[in-house]
């Protein structure tokens, strides 16, 4: 289009960008400041008509993969825009090569006029076109400035990591940021209860999937949904469903996170440089670990125990939530590889044997005779355990451990808090229904959307009520079935009177069991070092089947 004076008519897109990552001075480079400056400048340009305003808020100028830039280029290709106006060259980009390519090649080829106000550049001006050295030089300075800021930011972050300061965008599930110091973590008591339960159930022998099923049945919000309930603008690549539920993978992430022991671990990922944003994982040796930076949710002993259990072969059948009694504990005394459970049917009955995994696949690699029946194994381990516990009665550490075990009242208080939280969720959901109805009456929400959202809220209310019912049942069981749920603790208190093996007992006390043949095994306890020092056992306790 041509004006009456013969000049060309331009349809302009205002482009605005601001980013803390580039070290921007937020006051002078704010969105409102850029908008005001550009519009004031264009008031004296009658040949330029503003058609669109594109804004990238929080995007670094190093990369041109920005939403507003993509939209602006689409408008240019469609012919609705033939002029781009920015405050200065650094707002358009801080990548020397890419910025120069757009200004010197892409825009001229597409017939687009480019104006950088503060840099005095206008591609339609003959003066700007003749000044070919200044613009590349300014782009180079902007690029160097971005690189310098990146180096300073990375250096500052590394210093804080070495000091044990938490620099993540959001606090880890189970923690809040301290009100006094945003770089310090403090325990979120409600979420911490779930963390402790996950570790407790894992030690008791539940599989990761079984733990996830139990948490979902209790109505415990997953970490993502819990953060959303707190009002955090949090997103993650792990979410696969509209409403994130607990899964075996999310339980595993909790069980593997050493931060819950009070040790700060950061710097697990990085990017090659300030221009490439793609992340890569760093080897554990390069992680930054600082011990005792915040209050622990899980003791180091429990974390080490769970780590040891997960390192063993503790898989379950898909339909089972609990592990077998000796899962991950049995080893071949000859090749020291794990043993596998093999049910055998004979005479209408099923007998269970444990055999060397290596022998099963390649007899040449293991010439031992590590095969033992489950009944013999159980009886022998029980006998060894009874003898060791009898000896351990003389050790004050065991007495201190028993006395330090939590009472049932702590479990009741924990369940009461969960019930309170679910009731708060219910009230919040009811409030949303009322507000939705008000919006429907005012015409803000149409009928279809109203009934769709109302149905979602009502379903949430139903699930919350069901969760509260289960929590109340669990609270009642704490009082009536406490001795049944924690019978192994009471038997351990009696020492010599342990008559039955349980998964929690084996997982807590036994490191491994080596099977030499069908009649001989050797049990290694987690506290073998203490026994060697006091009783000179020579490592492990030998048992003979009868």
């Amino acid at each position: 289009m041509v004006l009456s004076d013969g000049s060309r008519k331009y349809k302009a897109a205002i482009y605005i960008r601001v980013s803390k990552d580039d070290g921007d001075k937020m006051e002078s480079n704010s969105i409102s400041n850029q908008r005001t400056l550009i519009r004031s400048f264009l008031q004296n340009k009658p040949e330029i008509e503003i058609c669109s305003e594109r804004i990238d808020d929080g995007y670094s100028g190093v990369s041109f993969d920005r939403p507003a830039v993509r939209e602006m280029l689409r408008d240019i290709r469609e012919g609705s825009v033939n002029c781009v106006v920015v405050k200065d060259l650094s707002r358009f980009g801080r990548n020397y090569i890419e910025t120069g390519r757009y200004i010197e090649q892409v825009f001229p080829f597409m017939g687009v006029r480019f104006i950088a106000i503060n840099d005095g550049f206008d591609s339609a001006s003959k003066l700007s076109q003749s000044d070919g050295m200044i613009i590349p030089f300014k782009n180079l300075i902007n690029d160097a400035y971005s690189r310098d800021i990146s180096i300073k930011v990375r250096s500052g972050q590394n210093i804080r990591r070495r000091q044990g300061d938490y620099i993540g965008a959001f606090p880890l599930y189970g923690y809040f940021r301290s009100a006094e110091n945003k770089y310090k973590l403090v325990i979120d008591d409600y979420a911490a209860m779930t963390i402790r339960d996950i570790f407790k159930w894992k030690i008791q022998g539940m599989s990761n999937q079984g733990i996830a099923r139990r948490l979902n049945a209790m109505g415990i919000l997953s970490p993502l949904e819990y953060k959303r309930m707190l009002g955090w603008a949090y997103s993650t690549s792990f979410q696969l469903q509209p409403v994130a539920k607990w899964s075996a993978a999310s339980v595993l992430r909790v069980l593997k996170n050493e931060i819950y022991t009070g040790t700060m671990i950061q710097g697990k990922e990085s990017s090659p440089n300030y221009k490439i944003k793609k992340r890569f994982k760093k080897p554990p040796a390069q992680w930054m670990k600082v011990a005792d930076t915040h209050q622990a949710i899980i003791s180091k002993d429990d974390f080490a125990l769970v780590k040891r259990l997960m390192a063993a072969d503790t898989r379950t059948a898909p339909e089972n939530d609990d592990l077998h009694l000796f899962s991950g504990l049995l080893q071949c005394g000859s090749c020291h590889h794990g043993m596998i459970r093999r049910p055998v049917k004979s005479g209408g009955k099923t007998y269970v044997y444990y055999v060397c995994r290596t022998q099963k696949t390649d007899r040449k690699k293991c010439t031992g005779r590590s095969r033992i029946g489950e009944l013999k194994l159980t009886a022998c381990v029980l006998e060894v355990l009874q003898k060791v516990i009898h000896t351990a009665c003389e050790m004050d550490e065991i007495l201190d451990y028993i006395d330090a075990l939590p009472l049932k009242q702590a479990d009741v208080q924990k369940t009461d808090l969960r019930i309170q939280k679910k009731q708060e969720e219910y009230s919040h959901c009811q409030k949303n229904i009322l507000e939705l109805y008000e919006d429907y009456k005012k015409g803000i929400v149409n009928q279809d959307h109203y009934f769709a959202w109302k149905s979602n809220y009502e379903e949430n209310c139903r699930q919350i009520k069901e969760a509260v019912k289960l929590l109340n049942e669990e609270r009642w069981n704490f009082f009536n079935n406490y001795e049944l749920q924690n019978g192994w603790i009471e038997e351990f208190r009696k020492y010599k009177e342990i008559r039955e093996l349980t998964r929690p007992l084996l997982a807590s006390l036994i490191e491994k069991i080596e099977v030499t043949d069908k009649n001989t095994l050797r049990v290694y306890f987690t506290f073998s070092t203490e026994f060697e020092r006091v009783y000179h056992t020579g490592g492990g306790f030998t048992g003979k089947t009868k």
Side-chain angles (χ1 to χ4, degrees):
M1 181 177 178
V2 180
L3 298 179
S4 58
D5 60 358
S7 61
R8 182 183 177 185
K9 179 73 174 180
Y10 289 95
K11 296 173 288 185
I14 293 175
Y15 179 74
I16 297 170
R17 185 187 66 81
V18 62
S19 171
K20 292 181 181 179
D21 291 344
D22 289 342
D24 290 345
K25 296 178 180 178
M26 302 310 291
E27 183 177 350
S28 61
N29 283 324
S30 66
I31 292 173
S32 59
N33 179 282
Q34 293 182 58
R35 180 187 292 116
T36 301
L37 186 145
I38 294 173
R39 288 185 177 272
S40 297
F41 173 80
L42 293 180
Q43 284 180 352
N44 301 320
K45 300 285 184 181
E47 77 277 14
I48 300 177
E49 175 190 357
I50 300 174
C51 294
S52 64
E53 182 180 281
R54 301 301 184 185
I55 301 173
D56 278 320
D57 189 359
Y59 287 86
S60 171
V62 172
S63 169
F64 274 80
D65 186 18
R66 301 172 235 147
V69 169
R70 290 196 298 267
E71 293 170 358
M72 186 170 65
L73 292 175
R74 183 196 62 206
D75 293 340
I76 291 173
R77 286 192 295 269
E78 292 176 352
S80 59
V81 167
N82 60 1
C83 179
V84 175
V85 186
V86 297
K87 176 188 173 185
D88 54 49
L89 290 169
S90 69
R91 297 305 89 208
F92 183 60
R94 290 189 181 274
N95 186 313
Y96 165 67
I97 296 175
E98 282 296 295
T99 304
R101 186 173 71 86
Y102 274 98
I103 294 175
E104 297 176 12
Q105 298 179 23
V106 176
F107 287 161
F109 177 78
M110 302 180 76
V112 175
R113 180 180 179 180
F114 180 78
I115 300 174
I117 298 171
N118 285 352
D119 291 308
F121 179 80
D122 184 347
S123 62
S125 168
K126 293 182 179 179
L127 181 62
S128 295
Q129 292 174 0
S130 64
D131 196 5
M133 289 294 296
I134 299 298
I135 296 305
F137 185 68
K138 287 185 175 180
N139 287 335
L140 185 60
I141 291 175
N142 288 331
D143 193 316
Y145 176 78
S146 182
R147 181 175 64 251
D148 183 56
I149 289 296
S150 174
I151 293 172
K152 290 179 179 178
V153 169
R154 289 191 182 216
S155 176
Q157 289 178 338
N158 285 336
I159 290 173
R160 289 205 171 276
R161 289 190 184 108
R162 292 191 195 100
Q163 293 174 344
D165 292 341
Y166 184 75
I167 62 172
F170 296 93
L172 182 74
Y173 178 71
Y175 290 97
F176 289 137
R177 290 190 188 276
S178 170
E180 291 77 25
N181 185 348
K182 66 178 182 179
Y183 297 110
K184 298 299 179 184
L185 297 177
V186 294
I187 289 181
D188 173 1
D189 291 328
Y190 178 69
M193 291 189 308
T194 303
I195 301 296
R196 295 188 185 103
D197 277 347
I198 289 174
F199 276 84
K200 180 181 71 175
W201 294 336
K202 186 64 179 179
I203 292 172
Q204 289 178 351
M206 291 188 68
S207 66
N208 295 350
Q209 187 60 51
I211 294 173
R213 290 194 188 105
R214 184 167 182 177
L215 290 170
N216 290 328
M218 294 169 63
I220 305 299
L221 294 178
S222 67
L224 175 58
E225 295 301 330
Y226 183 67
K227 290 174 182 177
R228 284 178 174 171
M229 189 193 75
L230 294 175
W232 298 351
Y234 181 82
S235 61
T236 175
S237 60
F238 291 122
Q239 185 179 3
L240 300 176
Q241 300 176 350
V243 177
K245 296 286 188 179
W246 284 98
S247 64
S250 59
V251 169
L252 180 62
R253 285 194 291 272
V254 169
L255 293 172
K256 292 174 66 175
N257 202 326
E258 195 175 348
I259 289 183
Y260 293 125
T261 67
T263 298
M264 184 64 69
I265 303 177
Q266 298 180 105
K268 294 183 178 181
E269 295 183 349
S270 186
S271 57
N273 55 54
Y274 71 105
K275 289 186 178 181
I276 301 175
K277 298 302 181 182
K278 185 176 181 179
R279 311 286 292 179
F280 65 88
K281 295 185 181 297
K282 297 167 66 175
Q286 296 181 13
W287 296 353
M288 290 192 180
K289 299 176 66 172
V290 183
D292 303 322
T293 61
H294 53 279
Q295 188 177 357
I297 296 176
I298 301 300
S299 71
K300 288 182 171 60
D301 289 340
D302 282 349
F303 183 83
L305 171 58
V306 168
K307 183 178 180 180
R308 179 168 57 81
L309 291 175
M310 291 193 298
D313 182 13
T314 53
R315 293 171 292 175
T316 61
E319 67 277 6
N320 292 338
D321 289 340
D322 295 329
L323 301 171
H324 292 298
L325 190 62
F326 296 101
S327 290
L329 298 176
L330 293 178
Q331 290 185 6
C332 171
S334 179
C335 68
H336 303 292
H337 285 101
M339 301 185 70
I340 53 178
R341 188 175 185 270
R342 282 288 178 262
V344 177
K345 293 184 178 180
S346 176
K349 296 182 179 181
T350 301
Y351 301 91
V352 176
Y353 293 89
Y354 287 91
V355 297
C356 174
R357 181 192 300 275
T358 307
Q359 278 191 355
K360 193 71 176 176
T361 56
D362 188 353
R363 289 184 174 273
K364 295 180 180 179
K365 293 182 179 180
C366 180
T367 57
R369 295 183 295 172
S370 302
R371 175 186 174 92
I372 191 169
E374 189 173 54
L375 294 178
K376 283 187 175 183
L377 172 65
T378 303
C380 187
V381 172
L382 178 59
E383 181 181 351
V384 171
L385 190 58
Q386 287 172 336
K387 291 178 180 178
V388 171
I389 289 178
H390 177 73
T391 306
C393 291
E394 302 175 12
M395 300 179 67
D396 292 337
E397 290 81 1
I398 299 296
L399 290 172
D400 292 339
Y401 170 72
I402 296 300
D403 291 336
L405 289 172
L407 299 176
K408 62 182 178 182
Q409 186 62 31
D411 287 329
V412 174
Q413 292 174 350
K414 183 171 59 178
T415 305
D416 285 343
L417 180 57
R418 281 180 173 157
I419 292 174
Q420 178 186 340
K421 288 289 184 180
K422 298 309 292 185
Q423 290 172 340
E424 291 175 3
E425 289 179 39
Y426 185 81
S427 299
H428 182 70
C429 198
Q430 290 290 324
K431 180 182 176 183
N432 286 340
I433 294 176
L434 292 175
E435 290 177 351
L436 180 67
Y437 180 68
E438 292 297 325
D439 290 344
Y440 173 60
K441 286 176 58 180
K442 293 176 183 178
I444 299 175
V445 177
N446 62 36
Q447 188 178 44
D448 291 340
H449 286 166
Y450 167 71
F451 284 110
W453 282 102
K454 181 172 180 289
S455 176
N456 287 336
Y457 286 138
E458 288 175 345
E459 175 61 20
N460 287 342
C461 288
R462 187 195 66 77
Q463 292 179 3
I464 292 171
K465 289 173 70 174
E466 185 65 26
V468 170
K469 179 181 177 182
L470 291 174
L471 287 170
N472 278 318
E473 291 176 358
E474 183 172 336
R475 185 181 188 277
W476 179 257
N477 288 335
F478 281 138
F479 286 108
N480 291 276
N481 299 323
Y482 180 77
E483 291 184 358
L484 292 176
Q485 294 175 352
N486 301 282
W488 73 277
I489 294 177
E490 298 303 322
E491 289 178 347
F492 196 82
R493 189 187 294 274
K494 299 171 186 175
Y495 304 116
K496 300 177 184 179
E497 297 182 13
I498 292 180
R499 298 189 179 92
E500 181 182 1
L501 297 181
T502 63
R503 178 67 187 183
L505 184 61
L506 295 180
S508 298
L509 303 181
I510 295 179
E511 180 179 343
K512 63 180 179 179
I513 302 171
E514 286 188 353
V515 179
T516 305
D517 53 47
K518 64 180 181 180
N519 296 317
T520 310
L521 55 82
R522 192 162 185 81
V523 181
Y524 293 82
F525 290 85
T526 55
F527 48 86
S528 294
T529 303
E530 287 79 359
F531 270 96
E532 282 192 41
R533 175 174 51 83
V534 178
Y535 298 104
H536 309 289
T537 62
F541 296 81
T542 301
K544 294 284 186 178
T545 62
K546 298 177 181 179

